[in-house]
Amino acid sequence: MAIYFYYGDEEFNIEQEVNKLKKGLDKNFLEMSLKTYDNPKFADLISILRTQPMMFGKMLVIIKANDYFNKAFEDKEIKQIEEALEDNNENLDIVFVAELPRNEGKKLDSRKKFFKLLSKYNAKEFPSIPTYKTAELESWIRKQAKSKDLEITSDAASRMIIQIGNNLREIDGELDKLKLFIYPQKQITKDTVKELCISNEDLFAFSDYLMKGEKDLALLEYRKLLEKKFCLEIVAALQTMIRKWILLKAKSSECSPFELSKLTGQHEYVVKLNLQKLKNTSLKDLVKLKQNLTEAEYKIKSGQSLVPEKEVEDVLFR
């Protein structure tokens, strides 16, 4: 039996750590040996902690616990939780997970008794890596590439940060795509990243033409993006970027580029570049573009659109 407590605003690293524990389960009995609960009520929580695994070996229980840090457990409740953890079955592993919003600077209250209780076990914080900590991000990229049997040059890793930012899940996805493209080679170069990885510059060129009403050029850029990504991936990337552009536009008069870098999770160089390009784009137009994208995304995901690429075109270029 082992108790784990993973928390922080880098949900991708938390997920990877949980996946390591999943590998220890019998794949033939995953439906019974892996259970996930979302902030169960106190009585249910105690029952879950006292779960008795069946004959198929180890069992893993994942408890999403964000709500527990927004309330105060009574002393007797903390005592019951502590006793349940101490008396747990040796074949039952329990992971408490608290994922925080990215780039908002929020922290769990370490003064709470529940936090102090879980901290006695295998507790680990997973904070997101700020884009200005380029050395740390490059180190993570090299390590992640190595786990995929890849090598990546220093300038290629640096280019990935400039193009993608500090979203580790997106970086991981791009590494998978690059691995397929360069096979049977194993080294990722800067030129390969520039050619294949969707970038802030690609997205801005597309949206910039759209904002100017140059729809022919915007459509051309969109179709170039489709050569690199499925349309829903493009929409998701654009949604993320436009949220950041809206934040840049709204906060540019009161924050420095360094502060905006921390707020948006973008490299400071990218912040300065985007601020320059956003000069002639209104906040109202950015919000409208985001609404249009949300409409297209909903129709595609709800099955109302049979040709997703055309749906995005119709919404953006109507």
Side-chain angles (χ1 to χ4, degrees):
M1 179 273 292
I3 309 297
Y4 301 87
F5 175 33
Y6 299 150
Y7 62 99
D9 65 347
E10 186 44 77
E11 51 86 20
F12 183 73
N13 278 345
I14 293 176
E15 180 183 292
Q16 287 204 307
E17 206 68 22
V18 172
N19 285 341
K20 291 178 185 178
L21 297 175
K22 290 181 181 179
K23 290 179 181 179
L25 301 176
D26 190 328
K27 294 181 180 179
N28 297 313
F29 298 100
L30 275 182
E31 187 174 341
M32 293 178 284
S33 62
L34 176 62
K35 300 293 182 182
T36 300
Y37 300 93
D38 191 353
N39 298 285
K41 294 180 180 178
F42 176 75
D44 295 328
L45 174 63
I46 297 300
S47 177
I48 292 165
L49 297 182
R50 295 189 180 281
T51 297
Q52 296 298 312
M54 300 176 71
M55 71 286 190
F56 46 79
K58 293 196 67 172
M59 183 174 182
L60 175 64
V61 169
I62 302 166
I63 300 174
K64 297 180 180 179
N66 283 59
D67 290 354
Y68 296 158
F69 297 95
N70 296 322
K71 59 178 288 185
F73 284 104
E74 297 179 6
D75 287 346
K76 62 180 182 180
E77 292 176 327
I78 289 291
K79 184 65 175 176
Q80 288 184 61
I81 295 172
E82 185 174 20
E83 290 174 351
L85 292 175
E86 290 176 352
D87 296 339
N88 214 342
N89 190 287
E90 63 180 7
N91 287 322
L92 176 63
D93 288 345
I94 298 172
V95 187
F96 288 90
V97 174
E99 294 178 0
L100 303 174
R102 285 177 61 85
N103 301 318
E104 292 187 12
K106 293 184 177 179
K107 295 282 187 180
L108 294 180
D109 189 348
S110 60
R111 298 169 298 177
K112 286 187 175 290
K113 293 179 181 179
F114 186 65
F115 183 95
K116 292 178 179 179
L117 172 60
L118 294 185
S119 296
K120 296 178 181 178
Y121 299 94
N122 299 287
K124 187 173 181 180
E125 183 178 10
F126 293 87
S128 58
I129 306 172
T131 49
Y132 57 84
K133 291 188 176 181
T134 53
E136 189 175 344
L137 271 174
E138 287 181 17
S139 175
W140 186 93
I141 291 171
R142 287 193 295 271
K143 182 178 178 181
Q144 196 70 3
K146 187 177 181 179
S147 73
K148 300 175 186 292
D149 196 27
L150 292 169
E151 298 175 5
I152 185 166
T153 63
S154 179
D155 57 350
S158 178
R159 184 67 196 180
M160 287 192 82
I161 296 169
I162 290 174
Q163 291 192 196
I164 302 169
N166 68 338
N167 189 311
L168 302 190
R169 185 176 297 280
E170 289 184 12
I171 292 173
D172 181 73
E174 293 298 316
L175 287 172
D176 285 335
K177 183 175 71 177
L178 290 166
K179 181 176 182 178
L180 289 173
F181 181 82
I182 66 174
Y183 182 83
Q185 303 299 317
K186 294 185 178 182
Q187 186 178 72
I188 298 171
T189 65
K190 179 180 177 180
D191 288 341
T192 309
V193 172
K194 289 177 69 175
E195 179 183 356
L196 285 180
C197 294
I198 196 167
S199 71
N200 297 331
E201 289 89 344
D202 294 330
L203 294 170
F204 201 97
F206 165 56
S207 62
D208 196 31
Y209 285 133
L210 202 59
M211 289 294 98
K212 292 177 181 177
E214 299 176 9
K215 294 189 176 182
D216 289 344
L217 291 174
L219 183 58
L220 181 61
E221 291 298 324
Y222 170 65
R223 289 176 177 169
K224 285 181 182 177
L225 290 172
L226 284 174
E227 295 175 4
K228 297 183 179 182
K229 293 273 191 178
F230 176 59
C231 71
L232 272 181
E233 292 181 272
I234 295 171
V235 170
L238 277 170
Q239 289 278 32
T240 299
M241 286 305 306
I242 292 170
R243 279 198 299 270
K244 293 177 181 180
W245 293 338
I246 289 172
L247 188 58
L248 287 176
K249 196 71 178 177
K251 296 288 187 180
S252 59
S253 62
E254 57 188 83
C255 296
S256 68
F258 177 75
E259 291 170 327
L260 290 172
S261 174
K262 294 177 69 175
L263 280 173
T264 60
Q266 292 178 317
H267 193 281
E268 192 172 349
Y269 164 78
V270 176
V271 167
K272 292 177 180 178
L273 181 66
N274 286 344
L275 284 173
Q276 181 64 31
K277 290 184 177 180
L278 281 168
K279 279 186 176 181
N280 298 320
T281 304
S282 72
L283 183 59
K284 181 180 178 181
D285 284 342
L286 287 174
V287 171
K288 181 61 177 177
L289 176 58
K290 190 175 185 306
Q291 290 172 341
N292 287 344
L293 285 169
T294 300
E295 180 182 341
E297 189 174 12
Y298 172 76
K299 287 183 178 180
I300 295 168
K301 290 182 176 179
S302 63
Q304 296 180 41
S305 174
L306 298 178
V307 186
E309 295 84 357
K310 185 66 167 57
E311 184 63 46
V312 176
E313 285 189 17
D314 289 345
V315 169
L316 293 176
F317 305 112
R318 62 189 177 192

